[in-house]
Amino acid sequence: MYRTGDLVRVNAEGDLEYVGRVDQQVKVRGFRIEPGEIEHVLTDHPAIGQAAVVAHHDRPGSTRLIAYIVPDSGEIPADLHEYVRRRLPAYMAPSAYVTLGRMPLTANGKLDRAALPEPDQGARTDAPRREPRTGRERLLTTLIAQALGVDEVGPDDDFFALGGDSIVSIRLVSLARSAGVGLAVRDVFERRTAAGLAEAADEPAGPAPDLDDCGVGGTEPTPIMRWFDRRGGDIDAFHQAMLLEVPAELRQDHLVTAVQALVDHHDALRLTRTSGGRGDGTWSLEVGPPGSVSAADLVHRVDVPGGAVDAALVRAQVREAVARLSAARGLLMQVVRFDTGPAERGRLLVVVNHLVVDGVSWRILLPDLIAACEAAGRGRPPRLDPVGTSLRRWASLLTAEARQPARTAEATLWRELLTAADPPLTTGRLDAARDTVGRARDLTLPLPAEVTTPLLTTVPTAFHAKVDDVLLTALALAVAQWRRTHARGRHTALLVDVEGHGREEIAEGTDLSRTVGWFTSLYPVRVDPGPLAWEEAVGGGPSLGQALKRVKEQVRSMPDRGIGYGLLRHLNPETGPELAGLAVPQLGFNYLGRFPSAGAPVVPGRPEWTVAAETGLLGGADPATALAHGLEVNCMVRDAPDGPELEAVWTWAPDLWTERHVRALADHWFRAIRGLVRHVENSGTGGHSPSDFPLTELSQHDIEQLEAAWRVQK
């Protein structure tokens, strides 16, 4: 029998296998690690009989993992580093190995950890983490650690193996440019390490100032704004919000000063949306000049006797704040300070109309708000980092891009994709009048840290993929299994609407890493992992890797990460009507990236400003707004103290789906994710696919032959 705190895993035979104790968990470079998991990987190597992993504290604030091993030959196996690299993320790889003839044991026959020798006695460091060679490398290791929210990063550590994603890469580029280092998001994807990025940034890569880029004046809507407008509902009720725990010494006048600096600096916060006046539903956007919006109309104070801020009070204040939002009057933001007295940490509610904010924007606004409050508290005028390309300039570029011949030619791709077979998942069809936000149901489910951690690191690293690729592969497998078990056929392809950040580098000289606005792209993708037995999918069988590679290639075949669909659908008068008449995917998928959990700092290094425990990211829309899909899954990763956890929110139209069916599909999805994690734990998994080599014409078969030959050479 296993005890509470025992760490177990399912082995290849499907049996539970003891790995270690949860109470031996250690924290290294900001990650919580189970040494038992590393020990299990080491002893899986055919030349290692026993292994013990301990955290060694070289100096205050510096911790590294030391592996004590008993090799069969007495020597460290030559392939050990590569073996470990393929099975563990970089932060879990031991920094040194100590070879022993036998493990020291206590009188009870258990490992005597106190008797293990110091690592400098017979230790061999395998691929040691070197010190940065240049000041730029050192700066970039610091910035990568800050972007990821970890304690320490080495110059050769892979950004994505540490849990980075496309949204965090934008944050990294913003931090780098603020520090005087010119980078582009594509550099992060291509170079991946601080050392590689230091080479790419030898010459400042930031765009030259665009003297014609005036952010004030009439502004074109982005495609996602047009998409939402067609769903109906009151735009003023469409909002997102964050609740923060703030320093007790934060004063109301300092907050007003900070918010004024924020709205004067970020053009989107001064946007107005006005009706065309013809009664035909037309409207226009205008960005007012700095000073046109007064922070006095945006900042409010609520006295909380005794400091008792609870969820009910927060919800009430959210409702009142949303009622004050008005796109017509340029009131797109509300900030509510819960005053709990001079001795208690207060709360700060920030509500923003979704018309001008997205997931990336929050990662700009909150650090800027904190920096402005701290400057005001020191009696200094807030000075925020400059914005590259304005919202107005980018919207104009999108409108022009939608009419370019090369972009217009994409219409054939989208037409073929949306007219291919997509058998119905439900007996009814989505009805805009009936299936609304007000009638929707939702279900929130978490995926524990022991699964989420490899989902973010080991699995995408092994396949040179993104987290989205892994999640979509699992979703396609789950839907195919749901079809089989609910008499919906044996169709394996999944047509799904995917949301992206929309800040693609489609124009030279643009920089959106510091631009606030609603840039989200929404585009259909058809992913087909191929026929795969469900038992093999959930068991991590050998065919699962091929399924992931297929989906990865299908997702990457979308030009510019799908941004063209929204341009042609909503901004091109020639292609728009035809695309509007085609099918809409039955499912919607959105991976929002990583967010701090309750109690965690909003910005690394600012422990006084944290995500409030009462609630985190909030949001809502007018109940009359039509649902975009019969079923949607929105997921994000919460960086909790015990490790990252994936949080999935399923939302559905109750006339099309039942909760029982949604729970079954959600369970299939999580089981498929676990199967992919198990697959990577097996030996010989992973590898490249054709899109990893854009300058060649290698097929998947060619790549696998080369990889096999390389392994033989090793």
Side-chain angles (χ1 to χ4, degrees), residues 232-286:
D234 181 6
I235 188 65
D236 289 336
F238 193 35
H239 70 281
Q240 290 187 334
M242 286 286 290
L243 182 70
L244 311 180
E245 189 168 347
V246 299
E249 58 269 20
L250 177 64
R251 287 174 23 187
Q252 191 75 5
D253 57 335
H254 294 161
L255 180 59
V256 171
T257 298
V259 171
Q260 188 66 61
L262 203 66
V263 296
D264 286 346
H265 193 71
H266 293 294
D267 298 339
L269 302 181
R270 305 190 306 277
L271 198 71
T272 57
R273 181 182 187 271
T274 56
S275 170
R278 298 192 298 269
D280 57 359
T282 59
W283 46 272
S284 61
L285 299 174
E286 181 93 11

Short mmCIF file of all heavy atoms in Angstrom, two decimals, residues 232-286:
data_model
loop_
_atom_site.label_atom_id
_atom_site.label_comp_id
_atom_site.label_asym_id
_atom_site.label_seq_id
_atom_site.Cartn_x
_atom_site.Cartn_y
_atom_site.Cartn_z
N GLY A 232 -22.93 40.74 -31.81
CA GLY A 232 -23.95 41.50 -31.10
C GLY A 232 -23.57 41.70 -29.64
O GLY A 232 -22.49 41.34 -29.19
N GLY A 233 -24.48 42.28 -28.89
CA GLY A 233 -24.21 42.54 -27.48
C GLY A 233 -23.57 43.90 -27.26
O GLY A 233 -23.00 44.50 -28.17
N ASP A 234 -23.67 44.40 -26.05
CA ASP A 234 -23.16 45.71 -25.68
C ASP A 234 -21.65 45.64 -25.50
O ASP A 234 -21.16 44.90 -24.65
CB ASP A 234 -23.84 46.16 -24.38
CG ASP A 234 -23.40 47.53 -23.94
OD1 ASP A 234 -22.65 48.20 -24.69
OD2 ASP A 234 -23.78 47.94 -22.82
N ILE A 235 -20.91 46.42 -26.28
CA ILE A 235 -19.45 46.40 -26.20
C ILE A 235 -18.96 46.87 -24.83
O ILE A 235 -17.90 46.45 -24.35
CB ILE A 235 -18.83 47.27 -27.32
CG1 ILE A 235 -17.30 47.10 -27.36
CG2 ILE A 235 -19.19 48.74 -27.14
CD1 ILE A 235 -16.83 45.74 -27.73
N ASP A 236 -19.72 47.73 -24.16
CA ASP A 236 -19.27 48.26 -22.87
C ASP A 236 -19.24 47.19 -21.78
O ASP A 236 -18.53 47.33 -20.79
CB ASP A 236 -20.17 49.41 -22.42
CG ASP A 236 -19.98 50.66 -23.27
OD1 ASP A 236 -18.89 50.80 -23.86
OD2 ASP A 236 -20.91 51.48 -23.35
N ALA A 237 -20.01 46.13 -21.94
CA ALA A 237 -20.02 45.07 -20.94
C ALA A 237 -18.92 44.04 -21.16
O ALA A 237 -18.67 43.20 -20.30
CB ALA A 237 -21.38 44.36 -20.94
N PHE A 238 -18.24 44.13 -22.29
CA PHE A 238 -17.20 43.16 -22.64
C PHE A 238 -15.89 43.60 -21.98
O PHE A 238 -15.29 44.59 -22.37
CB PHE A 238 -17.06 43.12 -24.16
CG PHE A 238 -16.27 41.96 -24.69
CD1 PHE A 238 -16.31 40.72 -24.08
CD2 PHE A 238 -15.48 42.12 -25.82
CE1 PHE A 238 -15.58 39.65 -24.59
CE2 PHE A 238 -14.76 41.06 -26.34
CZ PHE A 238 -14.81 39.83 -25.72
N HIS A 239 -15.45 42.86 -20.97
CA HIS A 239 -14.34 43.35 -20.16
C HIS A 239 -13.45 42.22 -19.67
O HIS A 239 -13.84 41.05 -19.67
CB HIS A 239 -14.88 44.10 -18.94
CG HIS A 239 -15.55 43.19 -17.95
ND1 HIS A 239 -16.83 42.72 -18.12
CD2 HIS A 239 -15.11 42.63 -16.79
CE1 HIS A 239 -17.15 41.93 -17.12
NE2 HIS A 239 -16.12 41.84 -16.29
N GLN A 240 -12.26 42.60 -19.23
CA GLN A 240 -11.36 41.74 -18.47
C GLN A 240 -10.93 42.51 -17.23
O GLN A 240 -10.97 43.74 -17.21
CB GLN A 240 -10.14 41.32 -19.29
CG GLN A 240 -10.45 40.36 -20.42
CD GLN A 240 -9.19 39.86 -21.11
OE1 GLN A 240 -8.16 40.50 -21.11
NE2 GLN A 240 -9.29 38.68 -21.71
N ALA A 241 -10.52 41.78 -16.18
CA ALA A 241 -10.15 42.46 -14.94
C ALA A 241 -9.11 41.64 -14.19
O ALA A 241 -9.00 40.42 -14.35
CB ALA A 241 -11.38 42.67 -14.06
N MET A 242 -8.33 42.32 -13.38
CA MET A 242 -7.37 41.69 -12.48
C MET A 242 -7.52 42.30 -11.09
O MET A 242 -7.75 43.50 -10.96
CB MET A 242 -5.93 41.89 -12.96
CG MET A 242 -5.54 41.06 -14.17
SD MET A 242 -5.29 39.31 -13.78
CE MET A 242 -3.78 39.38 -12.81
N LEU A 243 -7.37 41.46 -10.07
CA LEU A 243 -7.40 41.93 -8.69
C LEU A 243 -6.02 41.69 -8.08
O LEU A 243 -5.51 40.56 -8.09
CB LEU A 243 -8.46 41.19 -7.88
CG LEU A 243 -8.61 41.65 -6.42
CD1 LEU A 243 -9.21 43.05 -6.38
CD2 LEU A 243 -9.46 40.67 -5.62
N LEU A 244 -5.42 42.75 -7.55
CA LEU A 244 -4.08 42.68 -7.00
C LEU A 244 -4.09 42.96 -5.50
O LEU A 244 -4.94 43.70 -5.00
CB LEU A 244 -3.16 43.70 -7.69
CG LEU A 244 -3.17 43.75 -9.22
CD1 LEU A 244 -2.20 44.82 -9.70
CD2 LEU A 244 -2.82 42.40 -9.80
N GLU A 245 -3.13 42.38 -4.81
CA GLU A 245 -2.85 42.76 -3.42
C GLU A 245 -1.70 43.74 -3.46
O GLU A 245 -0.66 43.47 -4.08
CB GLU A 245 -2.50 41.53 -2.59
CG GLU A 245 -2.42 41.82 -1.09
CD GLU A 245 -2.35 40.55 -0.26
OE1 GLU A 245 -2.60 39.46 -0.81
OE2 GLU A 245 -2.04 40.67 0.94
N VAL A 246 -1.86 44.90 -2.81
CA VAL A 246 -0.93 46.01 -3.00
C VAL A 246 -0.38 46.48 -1.65
O VAL A 246 -0.95 46.19 -0.59
CB VAL A 246 -1.62 47.18 -3.73
CG1 VAL A 246 -2.09 46.73 -5.11
CG2 VAL A 246 -2.80 47.72 -2.93
N PRO A 247 0.73 47.22 -1.66
CA PRO A 247 1.32 47.69 -0.41
C PRO A 247 0.35 48.57 0.39
O PRO A 247 -0.43 49.34 -0.18
CB PRO A 247 2.54 48.51 -0.88
CG PRO A 247 2.86 47.99 -2.24
CD PRO A 247 1.55 47.60 -2.84
N ALA A 248 0.43 48.46 1.68
CA ALA A 248 -0.45 49.25 2.55
C ALA A 248 -0.20 50.74 2.39
O ALA A 248 -1.12 51.55 2.58
CB ALA A 248 -0.24 48.83 4.01
N GLU A 249 1.02 51.12 2.03
CA GLU A 249 1.36 52.54 1.94
C GLU A 249 0.93 53.19 0.63
O GLU A 249 1.18 54.39 0.41
CB GLU A 249 2.86 52.74 2.14
CG GLU A 249 3.75 51.99 1.16
CD GLU A 249 4.15 50.62 1.65
OE1 GLU A 249 3.46 50.07 2.55
OE2 GLU A 249 5.15 50.08 1.14
N LEU A 250 0.30 52.43 -0.28
CA LEU A 250 -0.16 53.03 -1.53
C LEU A 250 -1.21 54.10 -1.24
O LEU A 250 -2.24 53.82 -0.63
CB LEU A 250 -0.75 51.94 -2.45
CG LEU A 250 -1.34 52.44 -3.77
CD1 LEU A 250 -0.27 53.07 -4.65
CD2 LEU A 250 -2.04 51.31 -4.51
N ARG A 251 -0.96 55.32 -1.69
CA ARG A 251 -1.88 56.43 -1.44
C ARG A 251 -2.75 56.70 -2.66
O ARG A 251 -2.36 56.44 -3.79
CB ARG A 251 -1.09 57.69 -1.08
CG ARG A 251 -0.48 57.65 0.29
CD ARG A 251 0.42 58.82 0.61
NE ARG A 251 0.17 60.03 -0.16
CZ ARG A 251 0.95 61.12 -0.10
NH1 ARG A 251 2.00 61.13 0.71
NH2 ARG A 251 0.68 62.18 -0.84
N GLN A 252 -3.92 57.26 -2.40
CA GLN A 252 -4.86 57.53 -3.47
C GLN A 252 -4.30 58.52 -4.48
O GLN A 252 -4.47 58.34 -5.69
CB GLN A 252 -6.17 58.06 -2.88
CG GLN A 252 -7.33 58.14 -3.85
CD GLN A 252 -7.92 56.77 -4.18
OE1 GLN A 252 -7.52 55.77 -3.61
NE2 GLN A 252 -8.87 56.74 -5.10
N ASP A 253 -3.63 59.57 -4.02
CA ASP A 253 -3.11 60.57 -4.95
C ASP A 253 -1.99 59.99 -5.81
O ASP A 253 -1.86 60.32 -7.00
CB ASP A 253 -2.64 61.82 -4.21
CG ASP A 253 -1.57 61.52 -3.16
OD1 ASP A 253 -1.52 60.38 -2.66
OD2 ASP A 253 -0.79 62.42 -2.83
N HIS A 254 -1.19 59.10 -5.23
CA HIS A 254 -0.14 58.44 -6.03
C HIS A 254 -0.76 57.54 -7.09
O HIS A 254 -0.26 57.47 -8.23
CB HIS A 254 0.77 57.62 -5.12
CG HIS A 254 1.56 58.44 -4.16
ND1 HIS A 254 2.14 57.92 -3.01
CD2 HIS A 254 1.86 59.77 -4.15
CE1 HIS A 254 2.76 58.88 -2.35
NE2 HIS A 254 2.61 60.01 -3.03
N LEU A 255 -1.85 56.87 -6.74
CA LEU A 255 -2.52 55.99 -7.70
C LEU A 255 -3.10 56.80 -8.85
O LEU A 255 -2.99 56.41 -10.02
CB LEU A 255 -3.62 55.20 -6.99
CG LEU A 255 -4.43 54.23 -7.84
CD1 LEU A 255 -3.54 53.18 -8.48
CD2 LEU A 255 -5.51 53.56 -6.99
N VAL A 256 -3.71 57.95 -8.54
CA VAL A 256 -4.27 58.81 -9.59
C VAL A 256 -3.16 59.28 -10.53
O VAL A 256 -3.31 59.27 -11.76
CB VAL A 256 -5.02 60.01 -8.98
CG1 VAL A 256 -5.42 61.01 -10.07
CG2 VAL A 256 -6.25 59.54 -8.23
N THR A 257 -2.03 59.68 -9.96
CA THR A 257 -0.90 60.11 -10.79
C THR A 257 -0.42 58.99 -11.70
O THR A 257 -0.14 59.20 -12.88
CB THR A 257 0.27 60.57 -9.88
OG1 THR A 257 -0.15 61.69 -9.11
CG2 THR A 257 1.48 60.96 -10.71
N ALA A 258 -0.35 57.78 -11.15
CA ALA A 258 0.13 56.63 -11.93
C ALA A 258 -0.84 56.28 -13.06
O ALA A 258 -0.42 56.02 -14.19
CB ALA A 258 0.33 55.43 -11.01
N VAL A 259 -2.13 56.29 -12.77
CA VAL A 259 -3.12 55.95 -13.79
C VAL A 259 -3.13 57.01 -14.89
O VAL A 259 -3.27 56.69 -16.09
CB VAL A 259 -4.51 55.77 -13.16
CG1 VAL A 259 -5.58 55.64 -14.24
CG2 VAL A 259 -4.52 54.56 -12.25
N GLN A 260 -2.95 58.27 -14.51
CA GLN A 260 -2.89 59.33 -15.53
C GLN A 260 -1.70 59.10 -16.46
O GLN A 260 -1.81 59.24 -17.69
CB GLN A 260 -2.79 60.70 -14.87
CG GLN A 260 -2.91 61.86 -15.85
CD GLN A 260 -4.30 61.93 -16.46
OE1 GLN A 260 -5.29 62.10 -15.76
NE2 GLN A 260 -4.39 61.81 -17.78
N ALA A 261 -0.57 58.73 -15.88
CA ALA A 261 0.61 58.43 -16.70
C ALA A 261 0.34 57.26 -17.63
O ALA A 261 0.78 57.25 -18.79
CB ALA A 261 1.82 58.14 -15.80
N LEU A 262 -0.40 56.27 -17.14
CA LEU A 262 -0.68 55.08 -17.92
C LEU A 262 -1.56 55.41 -19.13
O LEU A 262 -1.27 54.99 -20.26
CB LEU A 262 -1.38 54.05 -17.03
CG LEU A 262 -1.29 52.57 -17.43
CD1 LEU A 262 0.14 52.08 -17.33
CD2 LEU A 262 -2.19 51.73 -16.52
N VAL A 263 -2.65 56.16 -18.91
CA VAL A 263 -3.56 56.45 -20.03
C VAL A 263 -2.94 57.45 -21.00
O VAL A 263 -3.25 57.43 -22.21
CB VAL A 263 -4.93 56.94 -19.53
CG1 VAL A 263 -5.62 55.86 -18.73
CG2 VAL A 263 -4.81 58.22 -18.72
N ASP A 264 -2.07 58.32 -20.52
CA ASP A 264 -1.39 59.24 -21.43
C ASP A 264 -0.36 58.52 -22.28
O ASP A 264 -0.06 58.94 -23.40
CB ASP A 264 -0.71 60.36 -20.63
CG ASP A 264 -1.71 61.37 -20.08
OD1 ASP A 264 -2.87 61.36 -20.52
OD2 ASP A 264 -1.32 62.17 -19.19
N HIS A 265 0.19 57.43 -21.76
CA HIS A 265 1.27 56.72 -22.44
C HIS A 265 0.76 55.71 -23.46
O HIS A 265 1.36 55.53 -24.52
CB HIS A 265 2.15 56.02 -21.40
CG HIS A 265 3.45 55.52 -21.94
ND1 HIS A 265 4.48 56.38 -22.29
CD2 HIS A 265 3.90 54.26 -22.20
CE1 HIS A 265 5.52 55.67 -22.72
NE2 HIS A 265 5.19 54.38 -22.69
N HIS A 266 -0.35 55.04 -23.13
CA HIS A 266 -0.86 53.96 -23.99
C HIS A 266 -2.11 54.44 -24.73
O HIS A 266 -3.17 54.64 -24.14
CB HIS A 266 -1.15 52.72 -23.15
CG HIS A 266 0.08 52.08 -22.58
ND1 HIS A 266 1.05 51.50 -23.37
CD2 HIS A 266 0.52 51.96 -21.30
CE1 HIS A 266 2.03 51.03 -22.60
NE2 HIS A 266 1.73 51.31 -21.35
N ASP A 267 -1.97 54.56 -26.05
CA ASP A 267 -3.02 55.15 -26.88
C ASP A 267 -4.36 54.44 -26.76
O ASP A 267 -5.42 55.07 -26.79
CB ASP A 267 -2.59 55.13 -28.36
CG ASP A 267 -1.34 55.95 -28.62
OD1 ASP A 267 -1.04 56.83 -27.80
OD2 ASP A 267 -0.68 55.69 -29.63
N ALA A 268 -4.34 53.11 -26.66
CA ALA A 268 -5.59 52.35 -26.65
C ALA A 268 -6.50 52.78 -25.51
O ALA A 268 -7.74 52.70 -25.63
CB ALA A 268 -5.30 50.85 -26.55
N LEU A 269 -5.93 53.23 -24.40
CA LEU A 269 -6.72 53.63 -23.24
C LEU A 269 -7.42 54.97 -23.45
O LEU A 269 -8.20 55.40 -22.60
CB LEU A 269 -5.84 53.67 -21.99
CG LEU A 269 -5.14 52.35 -21.64
CD1 LEU A 269 -4.32 52.51 -20.36
CD2 LEU A 269 -6.17 51.22 -21.47
N ARG A 270 -7.14 55.63 -24.58
CA ARG A 270 -7.81 56.91 -24.91
C ARG A 270 -8.70 56.74 -26.16
O ARG A 270 -9.04 57.73 -26.81
CB ARG A 270 -6.77 58.01 -25.15
CG ARG A 270 -5.80 58.21 -24.01
CD ARG A 270 -4.97 59.47 -24.20
NE ARG A 270 -4.29 59.51 -25.49
CZ ARG A 270 -3.12 58.92 -25.77
NH1 ARG A 270 -2.50 58.22 -24.82
NH2 ARG A 270 -2.58 59.01 -26.96
N LEU A 271 -9.06 55.52 -26.46
CA LEU A 271 -9.86 55.23 -27.65
C LEU A 271 -11.34 55.56 -27.39
O LEU A 271 -11.84 55.35 -26.28
CB LEU A 271 -9.72 53.76 -28.00
CG LEU A 271 -10.11 53.31 -29.41
CD1 LEU A 271 -9.09 53.82 -30.43
CD2 LEU A 271 -10.16 51.78 -29.46
N THR A 272 -12.02 56.05 -28.40
CA THR A 272 -13.48 56.20 -28.35
C THR A 272 -14.08 55.47 -29.54
O THR A 272 -13.49 55.42 -30.62
CB THR A 272 -13.93 57.67 -28.37
OG1 THR A 272 -13.40 58.31 -29.55
CG2 THR A 272 -13.45 58.41 -27.13
N ARG A 273 -15.26 54.92 -29.33
CA ARG A 273 -15.99 54.20 -30.39
C ARG A 273 -17.32 54.90 -30.56
O ARG A 273 -18.15 54.91 -29.66
CB ARG A 273 -16.19 52.74 -29.99
CG ARG A 273 -16.90 51.87 -31.02
CD ARG A 273 -17.04 50.48 -30.42
NE ARG A 273 -17.57 49.49 -31.35
CZ ARG A 273 -18.85 49.22 -31.54
NH1 ARG A 273 -19.77 49.90 -30.85
NH2 ARG A 273 -19.23 48.28 -32.38
N THR A 274 -17.52 55.48 -31.72
CA THR A 274 -18.73 56.27 -31.93
C THR A 274 -19.55 55.70 -33.08
O THR A 274 -19.01 55.16 -34.06
CB THR A 274 -18.38 57.74 -32.24
OG1 THR A 274 -17.50 57.78 -33.37
CG2 THR A 274 -17.70 58.38 -31.05
N SER A 275 -20.85 55.82 -32.98
CA SER A 275 -21.77 55.33 -34.00
C SER A 275 -21.69 56.19 -35.24
O SER A 275 -21.44 57.41 -35.18
CB SER A 275 -23.20 55.32 -33.46
OG SER A 275 -24.11 55.05 -34.49
N GLY A 276 -21.92 55.54 -36.39
CA GLY A 276 -21.91 56.30 -37.64
C GLY A 276 -23.08 57.24 -37.78
O GLY A 276 -23.09 58.12 -38.64
N GLY A 277 -24.12 57.06 -36.93
CA GLY A 277 -25.27 57.97 -36.95
C GLY A 277 -26.27 57.70 -38.05
O GLY A 277 -27.25 58.43 -38.20
N ARG A 278 -26.04 56.63 -38.85
CA ARG A 278 -26.97 56.34 -39.95
C ARG A 278 -27.94 55.22 -39.60
O ARG A 278 -28.75 54.81 -40.43
CB ARG A 278 -26.17 55.96 -41.21
CG ARG A 278 -25.25 57.08 -41.71
CD ARG A 278 -24.72 56.76 -43.10
NE ARG A 278 -23.92 55.55 -43.10
CZ ARG A 278 -22.60 55.53 -42.92
NH1 ARG A 278 -21.95 56.69 -42.69
NH2 ARG A 278 -21.92 54.41 -42.96
N GLY A 279 -27.83 54.66 -38.40
CA GLY A 279 -28.72 53.60 -37.99
C GLY A 279 -28.44 52.26 -38.64
O GLY A 279 -29.27 51.36 -38.57
N ASP A 280 -27.29 52.14 -39.31
CA ASP A 280 -26.96 50.90 -40.00
C ASP A 280 -25.92 50.07 -39.26
O ASP A 280 -25.37 49.11 -39.81
CB ASP A 280 -26.48 51.19 -41.42
CG ASP A 280 -25.26 52.13 -41.44
OD1 ASP A 280 -24.82 52.55 -40.34
OD2 ASP A 280 -24.77 52.42 -42.54
N GLY A 281 -25.62 50.45 -38.03
CA GLY A 281 -24.67 49.69 -37.23
C GLY A 281 -23.22 50.05 -37.47
O GLY A 281 -22.33 49.45 -36.86
N THR A 282 -22.95 51.01 -38.35
CA THR A 282 -21.57 51.41 -38.60
C THR A 282 -21.03 52.21 -37.42
O THR A 282 -21.78 52.87 -36.70
CB THR A 282 -21.46 52.25 -39.89
OG1 THR A 282 -22.28 53.43 -39.74
CG2 THR A 282 -21.91 51.46 -41.10
N TRP A 283 -19.73 52.13 -37.24
CA TRP A 283 -19.09 52.85 -36.14
C TRP A 283 -17.65 53.17 -36.52
O TRP A 283 -17.11 52.62 -37.49
CB TRP A 283 -19.13 52.05 -34.84
CG TRP A 283 -18.73 50.60 -34.98
CD1 TRP A 283 -19.54 49.56 -35.30
CD2 TRP A 283 -17.42 50.04 -34.83
NE1 TRP A 283 -18.84 48.38 -35.35
CE2 TRP A 283 -17.53 48.64 -35.05
CE3 TRP A 283 -16.18 50.56 -34.50
CZ2 TRP A 283 -16.44 47.79 -34.99
CZ3 TRP A 283 -15.08 49.72 -34.42
CH2 TRP A 283 -15.21 48.34 -34.67
N SER A 284 -17.04 54.05 -35.78
CA SER A 284 -15.66 54.45 -36.05
C SER A 284 -14.90 54.56 -34.73
O SER A 284 -15.48 54.65 -33.65
CB SER A 284 -15.62 55.79 -36.80
OG SER A 284 -16.22 56.81 -36.00
N LEU A 285 -13.57 54.54 -34.86
CA LEU A 285 -12.69 54.62 -33.70
C LEU A 285 -11.81 55.86 -33.81
O LEU A 285 -11.39 56.25 -34.90
CB LEU A 285 -11.79 53.38 -33.62
CG LEU A 285 -12.48 52.02 -33.46
CD1 LEU A 285 -11.45 50.90 -33.54
CD2 LEU A 285 -13.24 51.96 -32.14
N GLU A 286 -11.54 56.45 -32.65
CA GLU A 286 -10.69 57.65 -32.61
C GLU A 286 -9.83 57.57 -31.36
O GLU A 286 -10.32 57.26 -30.26
CB GLU A 286 -11.57 58.91 -32.56
CG GLU A 286 -10.80 60.21 -32.53
CD GLU A 286 -10.57 60.81 -33.92
OE1 GLU A 286 -11.19 60.31 -34.87
OE2 GLU A 286 -9.79 61.77 -34.02
#
